[in-house]
Amino acid sequence: MATVTLKGNPITTLADLPAVGSKAPDFTLTGAGLADVKLADFAGKRLVLNIFPSVDTPTCATSVRKFNQVLSSLNNTAVLNISADLPFAQARFCGAEGLENVLNGSSFRSTFGKDYGVVFATGPLTGLLSRAVVVLDEQGKVLYTEQVAETADEPSYEAAVAALN
């Protein structure tokens, strides 16, 4: 269990992020058109899991834009934005922001949040996903994790990129 804050108030998650060096837990999320998005879909690619509560908050929206901007130039690397938002809301957000080629996955009918330890267990966001980053190599091994300490803060884009270099 991790303890983070939301505007200074402590809240907890169900568990801790996967350990660096471990194999990433398998997942199936729901993507555009209600299609499955699986970890296996990214086999042979490096993958950044940008995990957050909702695209309808300013910090979450910023992280989607920045991660996709920063990592779009890296070869063999994908960013998967993950929240409990329905795929329709994720698509609406990307359309309104003019974001193309953005990969989203909704955890609304999966065990992703529990498997990755990022479901809020307490506080006003209970049931949503905490702000976290997990970077995987081409074989699905965890290279880097960040459980953002203050939910209203952005993740460390630089540290995620450094883990890929």
Side-chain angles (χ1 to χ4, degrees), residues 6-69:
L6 176 61
K7 298 182 180 180
N9 298 305
I11 53 179
T12 59
T13 63
L14 288 179
D16 292 318
L17 290 168
V20 171
S22 69
K23 179 155 177 47
D26 199 15
F27 62 76
T28 300
L29 300 164
T30 304
L34 300 177
D36 286 348
V37 177
K38 299 179 179 193
L39 178 58
D41 297 340
F42 300 94
K45 283 190 167 213
R46 301 180 306 171
L47 181 62
V48 176
L49 304 177
N50 178 29
I51 307 162
F52 50 85
S54 174
V55 293
D56 288 323
T57 65
T59 305
C60 300
T62 298
S63 74
V64 171
R65 286 190 298 272
K66 282 192 179 179
F67 265 126
N68 284 281
Q69 177 186 11

Side-chain angles (χ1 to χ4, degrees), residues 26-149:
D26 199 15
F27 62 76
T28 300
L29 300 164
T30 304
L34 300 177
D36 286 348
V37 177
K38 299 179 179 193
L39 178 58
D41 297 340
F42 300 94
K45 283 190 167 213
R46 301 180 306 171
L47 181 62
V48 176
L49 304 177
N50 178 29
I51 307 162
F52 50 85
S54 174
V55 293
D56 288 323
T57 65
T59 305
C60 300
T62 298
S63 74
V64 171
R65 286 190 298 272
K66 282 192 179 179
F67 265 126
N68 284 281
Q69 177 186 11
V70 168
L71 297 172
S72 65
S73 63
L74 294 180
N75 290 331
N76 201 38
T77 304
V79 178
L80 181 59
N81 301 295
I82 304 168
S83 68
D85 294 298
L86 294 176
F88 315 112
Q90 293 171 336
R92 175 192 40 78
F93 166 78
C94 290
E97 292 289 320
L99 297 172
E100 298 177 6
N101 303 318
V102 174
L103 301 172
N104 295 309
S106 174
S107 66
F108 87 100
R109 60 179 178 197
S110 81
T111 60
F112 176 87
K114 290 178 185 175
D115 297 341
Y116 278 75
V118 293
V119 174
F120 284 122
T122 62
L125 300 179
T126 296
L128 295 179
L129 306 181
S130 66
R131 185 174 321 287
V133 177
V134 178
V135 178
L136 308 177
D137 71 7
E138 295 88 338
Q139 289 77 42
K141 184 176 85 176
V142 178
L143 297 175
Y144 168 82
T145 65
E146 177 188 9
Q147 175 65 70
V148 178

